[in-house]
Amino acid sequence: MSELVDFTRHGEIGVVTINNPPVNALSPGVPEGIVAAIEAAEADPEVRAIVVIGGGRTFIAGADIKEFGKITSGERPRLSLYAALNHIEDSKKPVVMAIHGTAFGGGLEVAMSGHYRVAAPTAQVGQPEVKLGIIPGAAGTQRLPRLAGVAKAVEMCAFGEPIDAKSALAAGIVDKIIEGDLLTGAAEFARGVAGNLALKTRERNEKLQDASGNTAIFALAREQARKTRRGQKAPLAAIDAVEAATRLNFSDGCDREAEIFRVCLFSTQSKALIHGFFGERAVSKIPDIPKDTKIYDIRRAAIIGAGTMGGGIAMNYANAGIPVIVKEAAQDALDRGLAIIRKNYENSVKKGRFSQDLMDQRMALITPQLTYSGFEQADIIVEAVFEGMALKKQIFGEMDKIAKPDCILASNTSTLSIDEIASATSRPQMVIGHHFFSPANVMRLLEIVRGAQTSKEVIATSMALAKKLNKVGVLAGNCRGFIGNRMIHCYGREAQFLVEEGAAPEAVDHAIYEFGLAMGPLAMGDLAGLDVGWRIRKEFKHLEKPGVRVPHVADELCELGRYGQKTGKGWYKYDENRKPSPDPEVTAVIEKVAKQYGIERRSISNEEIIERTIYALVNEGARILEEGIALRAVDIDIVYLNGYGFPAWRGGPMFYADTVGLDKVLAKIEEFEKRHGSDLWAPAPLLKKLAAAGKTFESWDKEKESAAGA
Ligand code: T1G
């Protein structure tokens, strides 16, 4: 037997165990090993039934995604699993699939080729392939509708969400839930079915027959996919494949699935989504922080500020089961903050996301107060007050006196210098930036900002804490705006310049919306409140370079009290349902500004809108890489995918630039430099270097990684 797949005998039961840590992916050798083990069991006269089980923490979590790159680069052909799964299904002895952890993608497809499936109560099954821009490619779209019915199969294949063991039992995917030891229970189940050969899944057609019902299911699913997975091709492709199962026989259905799978696998969208998958795992690796770096134990937290951010941050700690104190300066502000937290939880209970009990447990972990009592026992204190340096330094000075020596002092600042904040304490090594994104209890990104003196232990603890808070932690160096906001400043600048030069606000937002972001920059400004940026611009006015063009319209709008949705007017005017519509008063302000600053107005294409805004991100991103503010280009992409609503199927700004071609991006930027000046558009040296060498940001990451590994 191969070291990847083991075959043992437990009395009259043959046990096939997959050992391919960490997640038993179907790497080369695994499918072959399973088939060989089943053949061995079939040939063994003592064996009356077979159990297939995963070694370690999970059943098979799918095909080996690392192999996809080799297939799409032509390095090696794709190994078809169809024959292997039909072989398992054709076994003369009943095959019982014993599922624990996650049976995802190819893992569920292997499970469905068995004659029976049993599962641990905590098991999950799913076809998440669409999250990688592909569809199930081993008959999942053909066997799943036969087991669970067309509607369930469409839901699971087109939207990719896993279901738990109980739901899988109800759907007919799993035959029994095993309490206690899974192998023991599965072997007992196998003994119970030994001798009577079950129906093969591929021959079970009874759930496919309701043609009229199916038409409605597919129409509704397509409509939903277009709405909730806007711009993504794989969800619609998955629906086509499941539909093929209702129209073609099993074998022809598999051929149709394979065709569709291949088109998806070689698509840019799939490469972008796979880039995001591995990127989310890569960002947790910090080259100069060894894996065995000491991690502080975070068992009690304290938050200063119960505003929008403070309240959301407190919910993250409570959701992770960590008791958290929330301090405010005034009772009414504290009451307002708690009311928002309670409302958020009530909404989740209403939507059935969790029970009232769980809500009560979480609320019980949050202690609102007006004093610092208890702060001396906190393992971490997070400051989430108004974005002003003086106030933050005052608070950190106070914390320095109260907090215990090994307490981490974190600031939720979104732009200010961590080193300057740390200088207000006697323990700069314990100070770090924990920049959450609004709404903090929802947005997955946590930008972790290391100061010049932040210790490795504090950084390592913060990266681990991000996972505990169910966030994606990305490490950033200390500069104005860190990674995300530093880049978004350039993107926002260009959006406003485009308006001054002739593009209507709604045209800029629509072009970005069509590009795939949930909302354009101007509508986003209205949502966040134009006064927030206005205050920051005033705070940094002294840093503006004389003679360098800056946008003016947003300041004019704020002078008029147009702060956005919160004042019913901003770039747009809003009706009582917060529905935006263009406002002639804004057009008048824009024309006045253009006249005042001698800006020629012209018609502007959607293409230019995208290039000016997205390439502004890319160019600043390249500078951030050169300066080491971001460790990898993929870190920048993960920041934008999880903090700024950049479409996952475009992979992030740096990956997107790679797909366009850095030579083309550079040529455009040089064109903008000629027209708008070097202060705004001088190409980043790294971009020039990579474009000249015909390289990509992705290759730069790889070279850096191998240089660090060398
Ligand atoms: N292939 C290769 N590596 C994988 C992998 C996979 N399928 N899944 C995880 N890893 C690596 C991951 O990169 C990380 O590596 C380590 O395992 C631990 O993962 C034919 C074509 C299973 C829920 O989409 O959702 O089947 O960083 O940190 O948080 O139709 O991993 O340590 O070096 O995520 O406990 C479909 C993908 C594939 C599932 C575990 N399957 N995986 O989460 O650990 S397509 C999926 C996950 C397919 C078929 C098609 C999660 C997990 P490293 P981790 P985790």
Side-chain angles (χ1 to χ4, degrees), residues 16 69 86 99 147 288 290 325 392 414 475 483 549 559 688:
V16 177
N86 287 351
I99 301 168
L147 272 186
D288 68 331
I325 300 169
K392 290 185 190 287
S414 57
L475 190 68
I483 298 175
R549 182 184 173 192
E559 299 289 349
K688 289 169 90 169

Side-chain angles (χ1 to χ4, degrees), residues 677-709:
S678 302
D679 289 314
L680 298 171
W681 280 104
L686 175 63
L687 176 60
K688 289 169 90 169
K689 199 173 83 187
L690 292 174
K695 290 186 175 170
T696 62
F697 288 118
E698 202 166 11
S699 65
W700 188 80
D701 279 356
K702 288 206 174 89
E703 280 167 23
K704 217 177 156 208
E705 195 183 338
S706 49

Side-chain angles (χ1 to χ4, degrees), residues 244-267:
T246 63
R247 299 209 172 135
L248 305 169
N249 64 30
F250 181 79
S251 165
D252 293 347
C254 286
D255 293 347
R256 181 77 189 106
E257 176 195 87
E259 278 167 24
I260 298 172
F261 175 88
R262 196 175 171 74
V263 171
C264 290
L265 184 65
F266 283 78
S267 69

Side-chain angles (χ1 to χ4, degrees), residues 143-381:
R143 284 198 171 90
L144 190 55
R146 284 173 164 82
L147 272 186
V150 173
K152 193 71 187 173
V154 162
E155 178 204 314
M156 291 176 69
C157 293
F159 300 100
E161 296 309 323
I163 63 173
D164 60 25
K166 220 156 123 241
S167 311
L169 182 71
I173 299 170
V174 158
D175 300 291
K176 185 171 185 198
I177 296 196
I178 304 284
E179 302 292 343
D181 180 66
L182 179 64
L183 180 54
T184 312
E188 191 188 327
F189 182 95
R191 268 188 289 280
V193 296
N196 56 357
L197 206 51
L199 261 185
K200 299 174 183 175
T201 305
R202 70 173 185 263
E203 292 167 358
R204 299 165 67 165
N205 300 325
E206 65 281 3
K207 290 186 179 177
L208 297 177
Q209 309 311 341
D210 173 5
S212 62
N214 293 343
T215 312
I217 291 169
F218 296 129
L220 182 66
R222 288 191 172 100
E223 187 195 327
Q224 226 188 333
R226 288 198 183 94
K227 215 164 51 198
T228 63
R229 303 292 187 280
R230 196 168 59 85
Q232 297 194 36
K233 297 198 175 98
L236 296 167
I239 298 167
D240 294 347
V242 176
E243 189 170 33
T246 63
R247 299 209 172 135
L248 305 169
N249 64 30
F250 181 79
S251 165
D252 293 347
C254 286
D255 293 347
R256 181 77 189 106
E257 176 195 87
E259 278 167 24
I260 298 172
F261 175 88
R262 196 175 171 74
V263 171
C264 290
L265 184 65
F266 283 78
S267 69
T268 305
Q269 288 200 1
S270 176
K271 293 189 180 75
L273 288 157
I274 291 171
H275 170 78
F277 175 84
F278 285 120
E280 244 183 65
R281 281 130 189 105
V283 290
S284 60
K285 302 178 175 91
I286 316 295
D288 68 331
I289 310 262
K291 271 212 176 100
D292 59 0
T293 301
K294 180 184 142 203
I295 302 270
Y296 291 103
D297 195 5
I298 307 293
R299 280 173 298 153
R300 270 186 291 270
I303 316 269
I304 303 172
T308 314
M309 295 308 293
I313 296 169
M315 289 177 74
N316 290 317
Y317 280 91
N319 296 350
I322 300 174
V324 56
I325 300 169
V326 182
K327 177 190 176 299
E328 248 306 343
Q331 190 62 49
D332 58 347
L334 191 60
D335 297 343
R336 251 196 328 274
L338 258 293
I340 293 171
I341 293 175
R342 184 177 300 287
K343 191 109 194 66
N344 284 337
Y345 277 132
E346 282 165 356
N347 287 344
S348 296
V349 171
K350 258 197 232 112
K351 291 186 187 134
R353 285 211 197 103
F354 48 74
S355 67
Q356 184 61 45
D357 283 358
L358 190 58
M359 169 180 167
D360 299 342
Q361 284 167 28
R362 292 183 174 176
M363 285 300 291
L365 288 171
I366 300 174
T367 308
Q369 58 189 57
L370 297 175
T371 68
Y372 281 129
S373 129
F375 272 57
E376 69 288 350
Q377 290 161 16
D379 301 305
I380 183 167
I381 299 174

Side-chain angles (χ1 to χ4, degrees), residues 475-479 482-483 486 624-631:
L475 190 68
N478 184 41
C479 69
F482 319 129
I483 298 175
R486 176 173 158 182
I624 281 175
L625 286 175
E626 285 156 2
E627 296 166 24
I629 297 292
L631 290 169

